[in-house]
């Protein structure tokens, strides 16, 4: 059963797109405060897997337990999990018709029923944390990609989630903006946030991750601590992937 | 020297005209021809409408014939028929007051300050109630004027506003149902929308006005005017629903996912994230539909209502004035233009406001 130290518990997860077997028998436990980096070639199912955790994708078989709540068709269970699990997307997905501040206050006010003043104070606190408080009254379209992604992180933090999911947060960014986003993520990690990151930033994985997971063709091929994962990969697919991605 | 050069490079109005209209002999020729035709049209309108026109309200048709130009005397004599239709003569101040109430209510709800559900409902509740009391009467010492006697501008506005007030929420509902994940619901809604869109408005108006009473129990039939408004609203909603759905398809999938990931429920996602962006995408087409609907209100004359255009026909339809129909149509066109122009300006304001 659910152990109180586990934030996310995935068992025998199966996912199909029609005939295509996207996720094959995934098992994964993430402890509270643990930072897990998921990597693998494109199409390996890593995004699909973390999108299953907050039900952006429906799984076909197996079980997902988040913070003691079993993910099922029950809409109240889904809502409960989404309140506690934040997500940062590859393309930021900020709401373009709202200011940065409104992006951040929306969910706390609507979902947590927080009064406006309190929500704004909270939003400013997290905008300061991602070092962007002076842009609060701008619209997302007026910001650079790196700034938008930092706002998106602040927006997710404003719900004060227990777990943060990152779905390739730096893949859509220009190279000079990647560092500013990774810095924010690193400082979050050091404060004890539970994080599951799909990313190709191996430097970040090495520095921050407690565990690295390698996926290929819809299954978890290898997992281990960053040190042994990078220096001594056990599976040949992992070794091939690492030699490709680290060659340049 | 430098000042001379920079002065030369600053294009004067004349230089722009030269560049745009007289670049070479062919464009010069074409420009001159267009200017000549335009000038001719403008001159003949001015000549007919102002220089040779008869303005006196006491003038009769013989005087108009003598002057040869437009006979604006008909407007001075018959404007009450045009604006009020069959509405009783002594009560027509009520009809014009009702028009002002509608225009004021629309104007108020155009201000972003009032864009909350509670404020808008309050404004429209007050607006509709006072319109109704003034127009229909039967209370507060006002004599009863039944819907059959309503006419002219007040009737046109009433039908338009009624159509939009019923049609707009219906359109949003149809668009959402059409986008439903449940195939049965989206298919059935699709068939309803396509059926309404494949029928001419006139046939729908006829059906609701004349056929429906035979099919419904008496208590559900209601006044003919309201059946006509219901028909018009249904027609409006079918078109507007497809326009809104198109706008919704322009909203990236990531927007809904981000809202879901934040824990927003369906109603919150729709009202806060999807619809505001869909409206922005669809705004030009939506305004267009409003304009079309405003002018299509003139079709209700076919089932026996004297709205603005039908009242105008009646205004020149007496033996004495029936030569002066062009003047009447000019007058009516000016009224339609005032409303449609205001509507399109408001659309442009909204587009600017939403552009960020």
């Amino acid at each position: 059963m659910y152990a109180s130290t586990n934030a996310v518990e995935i068992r025998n997860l199966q996912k199909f797109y029609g005939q295509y077997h996207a996720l094959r028998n995934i098992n994964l436990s993430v402890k509270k405060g643990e930072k897990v980096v998921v990597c693998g070639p494109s199409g390996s199912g890593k995004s699909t897997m973390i999108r299953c955790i907050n039900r952006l994708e429906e799984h076909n078989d197996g079980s997902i337990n988040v913070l003691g709540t079993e993910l099922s068709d029950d809409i109240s269970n889904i809502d409960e999990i989404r309140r506690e699990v934040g997500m940062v997307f590859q393309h930021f997905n900020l709401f373009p018709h709202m200011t940065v501040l409104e992006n951040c206050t929306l969910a706390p006010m609507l979902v947590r029923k927080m009064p406006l003043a309190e929500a704004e104070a909270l939003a400013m606190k997290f905008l300061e944390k991602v070092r962007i408080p002076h842009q609060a009254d701008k619209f997302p379209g007026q910001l650079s990609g790196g700034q938008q992604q930092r706002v998106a992180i602040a927006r997710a933090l404003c719900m004060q989630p227990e777990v943060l999911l990152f779905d390739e947060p730096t893949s859509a960014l220009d190279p000079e903006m990647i560092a500013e986003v990774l810095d924010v993520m690193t400082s979050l990690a050091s404060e004890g946030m539970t994080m599951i990151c799909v990313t190709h930033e191996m430097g970040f994985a090495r520095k921050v991750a407690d565990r690295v997971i390698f996926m290929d063709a819809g299954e978890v091929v290898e997992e281990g601590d960053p040190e042994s994962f990078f220096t001594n990969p056990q599976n040949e697919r992992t070794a091939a992937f690492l030699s490709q991605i680290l060659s340049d | 020297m430098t000042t001379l050069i920079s002065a030369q490079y600053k294009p004067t109005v004349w230089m722009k005209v030269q560049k745009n209209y007289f670049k070479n002999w062919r464009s010069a020729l074409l420009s001159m021809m267009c200017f000549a035709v335009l000038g001719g049209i403008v001159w003949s309108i001015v000549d007919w409408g102002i220089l040779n026109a008869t303005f006196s309200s006491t003038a009769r048709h013989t005087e108009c014939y003598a002057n040869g130009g437009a006979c604006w005397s008909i407007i001075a004599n018959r404007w009450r028929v045009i604006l009020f239709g069959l509405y009783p003569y002594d009560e027509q101040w009520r009809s014009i007051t009702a028009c002002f109430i509608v225009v004021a209510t629309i104007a108020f709800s155009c201000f972003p300050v009032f864009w909350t559900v509670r404020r808008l409902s309050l404004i429209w509740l007050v607006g509709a109630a006072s319109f109704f009391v003034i127009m229909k009467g039967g209370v507060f010492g006002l004599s009863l004027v039944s819907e059959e006697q309503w006419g002219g501008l007040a009737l046109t506005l009433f039908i338009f506003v009624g159509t939009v007030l019923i049609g707009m929420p219906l359109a949003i509902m149809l668009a959402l149902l059409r986008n439903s994940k449940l195939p049965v619901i989206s298919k059935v809604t699709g068939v309803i929308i396509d059926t309404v869109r494949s029928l001419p408005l006139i046939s729908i108006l006829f059906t609701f006005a004349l056929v429906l009473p035979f099919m419904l129990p008496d208590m559900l039939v209601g006044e003919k005017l309201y059946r006509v408004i219901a028909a018009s609203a249904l027609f409006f909603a079918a078109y507007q629903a497809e326009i809104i759905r198109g706008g919704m398809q322009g909203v990236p999938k990531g927007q809904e996912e981000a809202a879901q990931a934040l824990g927003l429920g369906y109603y919150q996602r729709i009202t806060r994230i999807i619809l505001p962006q869909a409206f922005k995408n669809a705004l030009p087409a939506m305004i267009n539909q409003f304009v079309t609907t405003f002018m299509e209100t003139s079709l209700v004359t076919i089932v026996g209502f004297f709205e603005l255009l039908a009242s105008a026909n009646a205004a020149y339809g007496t033996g004495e004035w029936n030569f002066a129909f062009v003047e009447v149509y000019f007058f009516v066109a000016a009224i339609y233009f005032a409303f449609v122009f205001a509507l399109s300006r408001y659309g442009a304001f909204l587009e600017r406001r939403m552009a960020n």
Side-chain angles (χ1 to χ4, degrees):
Chain A
M1 273 312 290
Y2 171 72
S4 65
T5 51
N6 278 359
V8 178
E9 180 93 45
I10 299 176
R11 293 224 179 284
N12 305 325
L13 186 68
Q14 310 280 354
K15 165 82 184 162
F16 293 87
Y17 290 113
Q19 290 292 308
Y20 180 67
H21 202 166
L23 294 177
R24 297 163 189 266
N25 205 31
I26 306 279
N27 285 288
L28 175 71
S29 316
V30 180
K31 290 194 207 55
K32 277 187 183 165
E34 198 179 12
K35 296 101 185 88
V36 175
V37 163
V38 183
C39 61
S42 69
S44 60
K46 43 196 199 310
S47 286
T48 308
M49 183 192 71
I50 73 162
R51 285 162 59 86
C52 280
I53 296 175
N54 64 352
R55 234 333 142 94
L56 292 185
E57 302 283 349
E58 244 172 84
H59 59 279
N60 300 107
D61 200 11
S63 72
I64 299 175
N65 191 309
V66 184
L67 301 158
T69 307
E70 186 77 27
L71 193 56
S72 63
D73 289 331
D74 188 344
I75 195 91
S76 69
N77 278 8
I78 296 173
D79 284 347
E80 198 173 313
I81 287 172
R82 283 178 179 163
R83 275 198 292 273
E84 303 306 328
V85 177
M87 189 167 207
V88 176
F89 297 86
Q90 181 178 1
H91 295 287
F92 332 133
N93 299 356
L94 292 175
F95 306 128
H97 57 299
M98 300 179 186
T99 64
V100 164
L101 191 64
E102 287 165 346
N103 264 277
C104 293
T105 55
L106 180 75
M109 288 172 66
L110 290 184
V111 181
R112 296 229 190 268
K113 311 291 175 210
M114 198 180 273
L116 176 70
E118 199 182 326
E120 283 187 341
L122 186 74
M124 287 314 293
K125 179 182 136 193
F126 286 116
L127 286 172
E128 260 156 47
K129 187 185 211 73
V130 302
R131 296 191 286 277
I132 210 159
H134 47 287
Q135 314 277 28
D137 293 325
K138 289 197 178 166
F139 286 94
Q142 298 168 301
L143 304 183
S144 73
Q147 290 173 324
Q148 289 192 47
Q149 192 60 298
R150 284 187 282 146
V151 171
I153 294 173
R155 178 177 71 176
L157 287 174
C158 282
M159 281 295 285
Q160 296 172 296
E162 299 278 333
V163 182
L164 261 187
L165 308 174
F166 291 85
D167 188 3
E168 307 208 26
T170 57
S171 299
L173 294 176
D174 290 334
E176 74 270 22
M177 295 170 181
I178 291 177
E180 64 187 57
V181 171
L182 291 180
D183 282 350
V184 167
M185 290 169 64
T186 307
S187 81
L188 276 179
S190 68
E191 286 159 27
M193 174 67 76
T194 309
M195 294 163 66
I196 304 176
C197 313
V198 172
T199 182
H200 292 123
E201 295 297 329
M202 292 302 132
F204 172 79
R206 212 180 258 257
K207 193 163 74 181
V208 171
D210 298 313
R211 194 149 45 111
V212 182
I213 286 172
F214 176 71
M215 286 181 71
D216 190 21
E219 52 193 357
V220 174
V221 174
E222 182 163 351
E223 61 176 296
D225 64 279
E227 189 55 32
S228 54
F229 180 88
F230 286 112
T231 52
N232 188 19
Q234 300 298 305
N235 190 296
E236 59 189 60
R237 281 192 276 175
T238 317
F241 175 76
L242 285 176
S243 73
Q244 254 178 358
I245 204 165
L246 296 175
S247 63
D248 45 31
Chain B
M1 190 65 194
T2 40
T3 48
L4 246 178
I5 287 172
S6 65
Q8 266 179 351
Y9 276 1
K10 194 174 166 209
T12 61
V13 175
W14 173 238
M15 282 165 77
K16 279 189 204 157
V17 169
Q18 204 171 18
K19 181 164 169 273
N20 291 336
Y21 301 99
F22 299 98
K23 205 165 186 175
N24 51 44
W25 69 268
R26 268 178 305 183
S27 89
L29 190 67
L30 202 61
S31 299
M32 292 308 290
M33 278 163 60
C34 291
F35 289 145
V37 171
L38 274 177
I41 292 172
V42 169
W43 170 252
S44 60
I45 290 175
V46 169
D47 188 46
W48 171 82
I50 298 172
L51 298 181
N52 288 325
T54 314
F55 292 95
S56 159
S57 64
T58 53
R60 287 289 166 255
H61 58 285
T62 45
E63 198 173 327
C64 285
Y65 279 139
N67 286 337
C71 187
W72 299 117
S73 313
I74 183 177
I75 307 298
N77 276 285
R78 308 285 287 169
W79 63 274
R80 277 172 176 260
V81 179
I82 301 175
L83 288 184
F84 306 124
L86 301 175
Y87 208 81
Y89 190 90
D90 289 336
E91 306 290 337
Q92 283 173 355
W93 62 271
R94 284 162 55 183
S95 186
I96 199 76
T97 312
C99 287
F100 278 116
I101 290 172
V102 175
V103 172
T105 311
I106 295 174
F108 272 123
S109 46
C110 283
F111 285 106
V113 195
F114 296 105
W115 289 353
T116 65
V117 173
R118 191 186 300 173
R119 285 177 194 174
L120 277 184
S121 345
L122 190 71
I123 289 174
W124 280 98
L125 221 62
V126 172
S130 44
F131 177 92
F132 209 75
V133 168
I134 294 275
M135 274 304 269
K136 186 153 184 174
V139 283
F140 304 131
L142 296 169
S143 62
L144 184 73
V145 182
S146 74
E147 281 88 344
E148 272 112 61
Q149 293 170 284
W150 295 9
L153 185 59
L155 183 63
T156 290
L157 290 176
F158 183 68
I159 293 171
F160 174 66
V161 167
T163 300
V164 170
L165 279 188
I166 301 168
M168 204 57 204
L170 189 61
I172 294 170
M173 218 174 68
L174 285 174
L176 293 177
L177 290 175
R178 183 80 179 78
N179 262 4
S180 165
K181 279 191 201 114
L182 304 172
V184 179
I185 292 180
S186 77
K187 287 268 162 55
V188 169
T189 315
V191 169
I192 293 173
I193 291 174
D194 287 342
T195 308
V196 175
R197 289 203 307 162
S198 63
L199 295 170
L201 177 55
I202 296 223
S203 68
I204 298 180
L205 289 176
F206 257 121
T207 311
F208 272 65
L210 305 174
V211 182
L212 218 55
F214 296 107
M215 293 158 57
L216 287 178
D218 280 351
M219 51 178 281
L220 286 180
V221 169
E223 197 67 45
K224 184 161 83 172
L225 179 58
Y226 301 114
R227 292 202 305 276
V228 164
I229 289 176
S232 165
L234 183 65
F235 191 78
F236 171 80
Y239 279 86
Q240 200 71 299
E242 286 295 279
I243 292 171
I244 294 170
R245 191 169 71 94
M248 284 163 71
Q249 271 164 353
V251 180
K253 206 164 174 289
Q255 290 292 309
E256 170 132 45
E257 288 180 352
Q260 281 177 315
L262 285 167
L264 269 61
Y266 175 78
Y267 179 75
Q268 294 170 332
R269 296 200 297 272
I270 292 298
T271 54
R272 300 305 188 98
I273 308 298
I274 307 297
L275 282 183
Q277 296 186 60
F279 282 164
K280 183 188 166 187
N281 294 342
L283 194 68
M286 281 169 68
I287 294 288
N288 202 21
Q289 192 61 33
F290 278 108
V291 168
T292 311
T293 303
F294 184 69
M295 294 189 287
E296 275 173 350
T297 53
S298 55
L299 287 178
V300 302
T301 102
I302 207 101
V303 288
F305 286 107
F306 281 82
E307 47 63 63
L308 188 54
L309 195 62
S311 310
N313 286 337
Y316 68 78
T318 58
E320 183 190 3
W321 291 112
N322 64 9
F323 66 94
F325 55 89
V326 179
E327 290 82 346
V328 170
Y329 285 134
F330 255 92
F331 182 67
V332 172
I335 295 174
Y336 275 111
F337 180 80
F339 280 97
V340 170
F341 188 69
L343 201 54
S344 83
R345 287 294 82 199
Y346 181 63
F349 157 76
L350 283 185
E351 266 179 72
R352 273 199 309 280
R353 188 188 140 85
M354 287 178 175
N356 52 51

